[in-house]
Amino acid sequence: MTNTTVTARATDGIARRARRRSTALGLLAWVVGLGFCLPAGWMLLTSFHSEQDAAANPPALGAALTLDGYRSFFERGGDGPWPPLINSATAAVLSTVLVLLLALPAAYALSIRPVRKWTDVMFFFLSTKMLPVVAGLLPVYLFARNTGLLDNIWLLVLLYTSMNLPIAVWMMQSFLADVPVSIIEAARVDGARLPTVLGRVVAPIAGPGIAATALICFIFSWNELLFAGVLTGVVAQTAPVFLTGFVTSEGLFLAQLCAASVVVSLPVLAAGYAAQDKLVQGLSLGAVK
Amino acid sequence: MSTSVGTAPKVSSARAAAPVRPRGGLRAWATRAPLLPALVFLVAVTQLPFVATLVISLFDWNSYDPDARRFTGLSNYATVVTDPALQESVLTTVLLTASVVIVSVVLGLGLALLLDRAFFGRGFVRTLLITPFLLVPVSAALLWKHVLYNPEYGLLNGAWAWVAGLFGDTDPAQPDWISGMPLVAVEAALVWQWTPFMMLILLAGLQSRPGEMVEAARLDGANSLQIFRYLTLPHLRRYLELGVLLGSIYIVQHFDAVFTITSGGLGTANLPYTIYQTFYKAHEYGLASAAGVVVVIGTMVLATFALRVVSSLFREEANRA
């Protein structure tokens, strides 16, 4: 009797200590998380400051908020940042659509009804991703110059498609492999034709994964700088290239720069927050589930 | 690069063995056909340019002097291997990649362990933590260069001035971070961007760890450190390898931060930046191509190792299927 009370009291003490430790670690996680996000938070805050407050030292933490940074960013030059933003959106969206059109049939051939030696084909796809971009840049540049494709958004669309295609095939292979073959067989036995099977059976199961794949392709294309910087100039300039030219041209406007960075990052941030789990799964080529 | 393909594991998954594979010419082509557009497209857009790079690397070719273009065999490679600037950028690339990957894996592991427990607002903290990874790389680089590092109004020196002010020091030291420690400045910005990525992968690994095993070990009297050393770490090995592998592939090729923060100055030019300069600014086409080929050979060494890691992951998936 006394024995059990003692044990109960002891476990009670251990539990209390464990609880206290867990609270402390939770607090630590909050502090580290906030600290880690601080530079980005500071950028957001600065984007709402006036140029004078943005450049204050020590930092003007409680300064009045204003939209001037955003206003001057959008009123820059004649058209402001719209042409580069539209170019980036065009390149990212079109190449993502192209990737899906090419990768979906390929992934189908590699997962649901696998061709022979399908692992070899998968490794070929992955090995193209390990070819450093910079090793093929010069021929692409010369090709573009000789064919008049320099400063043309379509060239970027093609290059971004090839850049993201291997990742997309890997990801989608793993998502399509989640569809049980028996269900497909059953549907076919019931007389469903291929389009019906794809639409009614495969799409609902693999759909979220395919959406995540599209998202990752979009993010990578939107972020890309090296190709865009070398192969575009005035007409087809993308948002990251626009950002790099932002600072040197007419001195530095810190609030405006922060506003610009926030605006350019916004599509990626929104997409990434919306699909956090799928993002990891995709970036680790579907290996982490 | 496709030479490594031969090392692919022989997979005997239930699915591959299932009697769905049609025999006979026509039907075999029908299963292969969906693959062809993607394969043809990839070969045309990624492999052909590399072959062209190989050919150009054998020429002495500066576009300022196009008439002097001539075949020189391997002499560009000799120049690449002996050029001190290029040697330095090889060293920079190795240093940059190794330090960023190691530091961000270690930090990412710490963060993943912190987040692998229930606490109030865990989802929100995770969202905060992944923000650096989701910023457009150029914005992140500009943020570090101008908003944080700037000696006059950057946040680092600003915060220091504020703290010093609290203690009555009105004229504290205001170091110029980028010229003072250029490589570390670039590395810090990259570590900040890549730690969340490592954290996400390792967190997924931690959450796939079977809970009963840890419970059993605890009942047997193992302390937290022992559980971490003998249970968690071995389980995480694959995830650590995957993080190192993917991080290396991306950071070896990294261009944006070097281009933005230091413009390759002060000993921070890595290989991608140096090659970019050799052909885009100096117009030395042959030399740039040879350097590009050297990078590919280096990456192949990394990739052979990498493919082995991935194939071990792959084998598990194939067995499960």
Side-chain angles (χ1 to χ4, degrees):
Chain A
M1 185 73 176
T2 36
N3 220 349
T4 43
T5 349
V6 169
T7 341
R9 204 173 294 151
T11 38
D12 200 42
I14 290 173
R16 204 176 311 131
R17 217 172 315 140
R19 235 186 346 262
R20 211 174 301 146
R21 193 167 146 247
S22 151
T23 316
L25 284 171
L27 266 176
L28 180 64
W30 268 93
V31 170
V32 175
L34 287 171
F36 220 78
C37 205
L38 181 74
W42 184 249
M43 180 173 90
L44 186 65
L45 184 64
T46 307
S47 75
F48 289 110
H49 278 167
S50 69
E51 290 299 343
Q52 203 179 348
D53 291 330
N57 183 358
L61 197 59
L65 301 181
T66 161
L67 284 172
D68 283 353
Y70 290 89
R71 209 168 290 133
S72 41
F73 170 61
F74 280 109
E75 283 163 6
R76 256 176 100 82
D79 298 328
W82 289 111
L85 284 172
I86 291 169
N87 281 333
S88 272
T90 313
V93 170
L94 288 182
S95 73
T96 302
V97 170
L98 256 177
V99 165
L100 291 183
L101 286 178
L102 289 169
L104 263 176
Y108 179 80
L110 290 167
S111 61
I112 291 181
R113 290 174 186 284
V115 293
R116 272 193 292 165
K117 305 216 168 161
W118 62 280
T119 47
D120 288 358
V121 181
M122 291 285 285
F123 277 92
F124 170 74
F125 276 114
L126 188 63
S127 67
T128 64
K129 191 62 208 165
M130 292 173 183
L131 200 73
V133 169
V134 75
L137 188 59
L138 175 63
V140 171
Y141 171 76
L142 293 175
F143 168 81
R145 208 183 54 187
N146 293 337
T147 51
L149 281 173
L150 271 188
D151 209 5
N152 184 323
I153 200 75
W154 283 100
L155 184 66
L156 282 189
V157 171
L158 283 184
L159 289 170
Y160 292 170
T161 305
S162 77
M163 178 176 89
N164 290 324
L165 189 54
I167 302 177
V169 170
W170 266 77
M171 286 179 67
M172 288 211 264
Q173 192 275 339
S174 104
F175 292 128
L176 287 183
D178 283 345
V179 183
V181 179
S182 52
I183 300 185
I184 298 174
E185 295 294 318
R188 303 217 69 162
V189 170
D190 289 347
R193 298 169 64 85
L194 186 63
T196 322
V197 173
L198 290 180
R200 292 280 178 82
V201 180
V202 177
I205 300 178
I210 293 170
T213 312
L215 197 85
I216 284 174
C217 295
F218 176 85
I219 292 178
F220 280 148
S221 306
W222 182 275
N223 285 353
E224 205 278 336
L225 174 68
L226 185 55
F227 275 134
V230 170
L231 300 172
T232 70
V234 188
V235 187
Q237 191 188 50
T238 63
V241 182
F242 179 74
L243 271 183
T244 61
F246 199 88
V247 182
T248 45
S249 53
E250 38 191 281
L252 187 61
F253 299 98
L254 214 54
Q256 205 187 122
L257 174 71
C258 289
S261 294
V262 171
V263 171
V264 171
S265 293
L266 214 54
V268 177
L269 281 167
Y273 286 152
Q276 296 183 28
D277 299 308
K278 290 288 173 189
L279 203 66
V280 206
Q281 203 173 325
L283 287 169
S284 47
L285 306 169
V288 174
K289 290 204 176 180
Chain B
M1 302 253 46
S2 48
T3 45
S4 346
V5 163
T7 61
K10 293 285 165 274
V11 180
S12 55
S13 78
R15 181 163 297 170
V20 290
R21 191 192 305 142
R23 300 272 173 201
L26 200 65
R27 297 196 65 187
W29 275 107
T31 41
R32 253 176 249 155
L35 259 182
L36 291 180
L39 273 179
V40 170
F41 182 86
L42 257 191
V43 170
V45 184
T46 67
Q47 312 287 295
L48 287 185
F50 178 62
V51 173
T53 302
L54 267 176
V55 175
I56 298 172
S57 75
L58 302 175
F59 284 84
D60 180 10
W61 181 4
N62 186 315
S63 74
Y64 284 139
D65 192 6
D67 297 332
R69 182 169 70 184
R70 64 196 168 84
F71 182 80
T72 55
L74 295 175
S75 78
N76 281 326
Y77 289 91
T79 316
V80 165
V81 174
T82 51
D83 180 9
L86 272 164
Q87 284 171 355
E88 204 194 318
S89 72
V90 171
L91 189 69
T92 306
T93 310
V94 173
L95 270 177
L96 188 73
T97 309
S99 57
V100 171
V101 169
I102 291 171
V103 174
S104 56
V105 164
V106 171
L107 286 179
L109 179 61
L111 290 175
L113 288 169
L114 265 183
L115 285 195
D116 184 40
R117 54 177 66 242
F119 62 86
F120 173 72
R122 185 168 82 163
F124 181 71
V125 172
R126 191 178 73 162
T127 305
L128 282 181
L129 279 170
I130 65 169
T131 304
F133 187 68
L134 292 176
L135 285 185
V136 171
V138 178
S139 328
L142 287 170
L143 164 71
W144 280 81
K145 181 181 166 109
H146 297 291
V147 183
L148 302 180
Y149 287 142
N150 186 291
E152 280 152 43
Y153 42 73
L155 182 62
L156 284 180
N157 283 353
W160 175 238
W162 179 73
V163 171
L166 291 182
F167 293 96
D169 182 356
T170 48
D171 190 24
Q174 299 276 281
D176 185 345
W177 299 95
I178 296 177
S179 59
M181 38 174 104
L183 196 58
V184 176
V186 173
E187 284 165 352
L190 281 175
V191 164
W192 182 69
Q193 274 224 295
W194 280 88
T195 300
F197 173 76
M198 301 299 179
M199 184 218 40
L200 283 174
I201 287 191
L202 294 173
L203 190 60
L206 282 175
Q207 288 175 349
S208 74
R209 182 182 53 166
E212 316 89 68
M213 230 158 64
V214 177
E215 212 48 54
R218 189 153 284 152
L219 283 178
D220 287 345
N223 62 32
S224 302
L225 203 66
Q226 285 168 326
I227 291 178
F228 177 74
R229 170 69 189 81
Y230 295 105
L231 280 178
T232 310
L233 216 50
H235 173 78
L236 278 186
R237 200 186 134 189
R238 296 191 309 134
Y239 298 90
L240 287 165
E241 285 175 345
L242 188 72
V244 169
L245 159 73
L246 291 172
S248 311
I249 291 178
Y250 282 105
I251 293 163
V252 160
Q253 301 193 31
H254 192 84
F255 175 78
D256 304 21
V258 174
F259 177 80
T260 309
I261 296 182
T262 59
S263 306
L266 309 162
T268 60
N270 63 350
L271 276 166
Y273 187 84
T274 308
I275 295 172
Y276 160 83
Q277 274 225 315
T278 313
F279 102 80
Y280 203 63
K281 296 274 189 290
H283 296 264
E284 285 283 0
Y285 288 175
L287 209 57
S289 299
V293 174
V294 171
V295 177
V296 169
I297 294 170
T299 315
M300 260 167 93
V301 176
L302 189 73
T304 317
F305 165 74
L307 281 179
R308 200 158 301 149
V309 172
V310 178
S311 73
S312 79
L313 290 165
F314 200 40
R315 204 169 312 130
E316 259 171 52
E317 189 183 323
N319 287 339
R320 200 200 47 197

